[in-house]
Amino acid sequence: MAVLARPVRLGMGPGGVGWIFVLPFVVMFAVFYLGPLLVGIGMSFTDMRSTDVADPLAVDVVGVENYLRLMNDETMRRAAVNTVIFVATALPLTIALGLGSAVLLNSGIARLPAAFFRLGYYLPTITSIIGIAVAWKFLLEPEAGLVNRLLGMAGIDGPNWLQNESTALPSIIVMTAWRSFGFDMVVLLAALQGIPRELYEAAEVDGAGRWQRFRAVTLPALRPVLLFCTVYTSVGFMQFMEEVLVMTRGGPLNSTISASLAIFNQFGVGNYGYAGAAASVLFTVIVALAVLQLRAGRRT
Amino acid sequence: MRRTRRQRAVVYLGLGLGLLLVVGPFVWTALSSVKPEAEIRRDPPTLWPRTFTLDNFTELFERVNMGQAFANSLLIALVLVATNLLLCSMAGYAFAKLPFRGRNLAFALVLVQLAIPAIVVMIPQFVLIANLGLVNTFLGIILPTVVTPLGVFMMRQFISELPDELIHAARVDGAGELRIFFRVILPLCGPALATLGLITFLGAWNNFLWPAVVAQSEEMYTLPVALNILNGHEGTHYNLLVAGSVVVIAPILVLFVFLQRFFVQGIATTGIK
């Protein structure tokens, strides 16, 4: 077989041909991802600014100065806190909505309506986040917005959701869960459909109620998929930015600024070295969080 | 599981209410986009437009130059679909069927790239693009995503399911590797290529961060970039903003409704098994 598999025409072993096929990917990876990742880490130890773009090697090395500055930067600290709050609340909310809708869709309703609901629930996930954020800014507008108008009909005077320090971040959290749960739903639904029916029947024979069946059969069977959803969703949420950029620009008074937005802003004013330091910290935290989640998920 | 009628009614009620909450904002946005600005602000509000108008869209395309942004987004998305279809399936084929030295290491790069957040590499990528003289060009916007790790991963999963005998038979017949790839493998990849094309189009159409960094003048803006700029300049003219939102979202909704089977397939092949 090995002899037959050897392509004579190109004059090289199968090894060489394989490399030619993957070459575009490998080159693009090296040039646009691995290189920039390493350069970004290196850059974070320099005082590089936007004016140094033409001659990036002329910058001065400043050691860990950027990192020290990060720790004392009010805005950066606020961004870190907001990001933690955002992930800690939006993540469970999103997974709960995804799981809830998947369980309902799997509870023996007819195929056609199930497909119809699934289609509807999945819609926000695939649409442009900028488009969605603009639509939600309109929904939450204090006077013309649908939310306050509906509240008004019920006699409630709704707040100026996005301009109020105590409601701005929660509004964005709810919108994010609304937008994101469809992905988790589809993944969890596929997993639910893979659970053998006999397990439920056996549990029912043993006298298990609905809730007990959910806890003893459904949840354990979904564990690997729930772990995947948790890691995947939190990696994405750690980088949230566009919704804030469109809806509040990080305000009011930095109450919605996110880590990514703070980095983006530093890039905008030309502080490349400093932004690089913040980006390196964010990257480290994201990787660490994912590893911790995977470990915790495997162990318990 | 058997359900009583009442239980089933509760399930449908819950699902229906959920659907209203999910789809409602889209419907409200779409209906608002064909109302004049005064009607948007009218009290009490109208659900169905009392005066139907396309003025918001006309203004968007004539005054704010959304037409250009639409064309840019479409062009960029189509080019990226083409490059990804070719390059991802090439790499996927090699990872699935061509043993070569360092293959596992090279495949690990796919997973590494999947894990690198865009914001982390954004600035060095920009410095690179700037030094290549590609700021504010289509090429600059396109380059980092001409071959995406998700696509490579997907194609590898799909092609590895194809029987090896096909390739061996072609080799026995004296076909070269390129010929095998184009004549034997690719024709069998139809469904996977459709899914990959759709996912790529979606990603390119919705992408914001990188185009926002590279496109610096109006004639280079993509739709999300243009909408974000519009939001910054005319943040209170909701008639325009809402129409802009519809222009960005509607094409994807249309694609989704007609091609949803490929979307679901995409999740099934890329996601967990």
Side-chain angles (χ1 to χ4, degrees), chain A residues 9 15 19 28-29 32-33 36 53 119 121-123 126 128 131 137-138 141 149 178 197 210 239 246, chain B residues 1 3 7 15 21-22 32 41-42 45 100-101 113 117 124-125 131 143-144 174 206 231 245 248 256 267:
Chain A
R9 200 180 287 181
W19 270 109
M28 293 311 283
F29 171 78
F32 281 99
Y33 293 90
V53 164
L119 180 81
Y121 290 170
Y122 196 60
L123 272 188
I126 55 151
S128 153
K137 198 181 144 197
F138 174 55
E141 211 266 347
R149 288 191 147 167
W178 171 88
R197 200 162 274 257
R210 188 183 304 265
Q239 306 169 48
V246 168
Chain B
M1 280 145 281
R3 288 281 148 110
Q7 281 168 337
L15 285 171
L21 288 174
V22 172
S32 301
R41 300 205 160 269
R42 214 182 83 99
F100 58 90
R101 196 174 296 155
Q113 189 176 328
Q125 280 179 343
N131 280 298
L143 265 183
N206 291 342
N231 176 53
S245 175
V248 178
F256 179 57
I267 302 171

Side-chain angles (χ1 to χ4, degrees), chain A residues 86-198:
Chain A
F86 178 86
V87 175
T89 49
L91 178 70
L93 193 58
T94 305
I95 302 242
L97 286 173
L99 183 59
S101 50
V103 167
L104 281 185
L105 285 178
N106 195 46
S107 62
I109 66 169
R111 263 187 78 148
L112 205 64
F116 177 72
F117 283 119
R118 194 184 60 185
L119 180 81
Y121 290 170
Y122 196 60
L123 272 188
T125 306
I126 55 151
T127 44
S128 153
I129 184 134
I130 301 289
I132 293 282
V134 165
W136 270 71
K137 198 181 144 197
F138 174 55
L139 284 179
L140 295 171
E141 211 266 347
E143 270 105 43
L146 180 64
V147 171
N148 276 4
R149 288 191 147 167
L150 290 177
L151 287 176
M153 283 173 194
I156 303 167
D157 198 12
N160 188 344
W161 298 96
L162 297 174
Q163 294 304 317
N164 184 320
E165 266 187 88
S166 55
T167 52
L169 191 58
S171 303
I172 292 173
I173 288 169
V174 169
M175 184 203 87
T176 303
W178 171 88
R179 181 180 126 85
S180 315
F181 83 94
F183 176 83
D184 294 335
M185 174 198 71
V186 172
V187 173
L188 287 165
L189 184 59
L192 277 175
Q193 287 163 345
I195 302 176
R197 200 162 274 257
E198 296 79 52

Side-chain angles (χ1 to χ4, degrees), chain B residues 67-224:
Chain B
Q68 176 80 60
F70 192 97
N72 291 347
S73 276
L74 194 63
L75 177 72
I76 287 170
L78 289 177
V79 171
L80 283 175
V81 166
T83 61
N84 272 282
L85 286 183
L86 178 68
L87 299 177
C88 293
S89 47
M90 274 171 62
Y93 169 55
F95 283 131
K97 296 292 183 196
L98 298 174
F100 58 90
R101 196 174 296 155
R103 185 167 83 166
N104 289 342
L105 179 73
F107 188 64
L109 303 183
V110 176
L111 305 177
V112 170
Q113 189 176 328
L114 270 173
I116 299 179
I119 187 92
V120 171
V121 285
M122 176 191 76
I123 300 173
Q125 280 179 343
F126 178 74
V127 174
L128 176 65
I129 288 290
N131 280 298
L132 293 172
L134 294 176
V135 173
N136 210 24
T137 64
F138 281 119
L139 195 58
I141 296 177
I142 286 167
L143 265 183
T145 43
V146 289
V147 45
T148 50
L150 191 68
V152 175
F153 187 80
M154 238 186 76
M155 293 313 293
R156 173 194 180 253
Q157 299 299 91
F158 186 85
I159 294 173
S160 59
E161 309 273 310
L162 300 176
D164 288 341
E165 288 72 27
L166 288 171
I167 301 164
H168 292 317
R171 282 202 189 117
V172 171
D173 289 346
E177 291 300 322
L178 275 182
R179 198 184 161 80
I180 295 177
F181 173 68
F182 281 108
R183 292 288 168 81
V184 180
I185 300 295
L186 271 193
L188 294 171
C189 290
L193 290 174
T195 303
L196 174 61
L198 201 61
I199 290 177
T200 308
F201 188 89
L202 199 68
W205 184 269
N206 291 342
N207 194 11
F208 169 75
L209 187 61
W210 182 246
V213 167
V214 177
Q216 307 201 325
S217 65
E218 206 181 272
E219 72 274 6
M220 281 295 148
Y221 288 165
T222 61
L223 269 182

Side-chain angles (χ1 to χ4, degrees), chain B residues 13-42:
Chain B
L13 196 71
L15 285 171
L17 202 67
L19 191 67
L20 191 70
L21 288 174
V22 172
V23 178
F26 289 105
V27 176
W28 177 251
T29 305
L31 288 174
S32 301
S33 72
V34 290
K35 295 175 191 171
E37 188 171 15
E39 192 179 334
I40 286 181
R41 300 205 160 269
R42 214 182 83 99

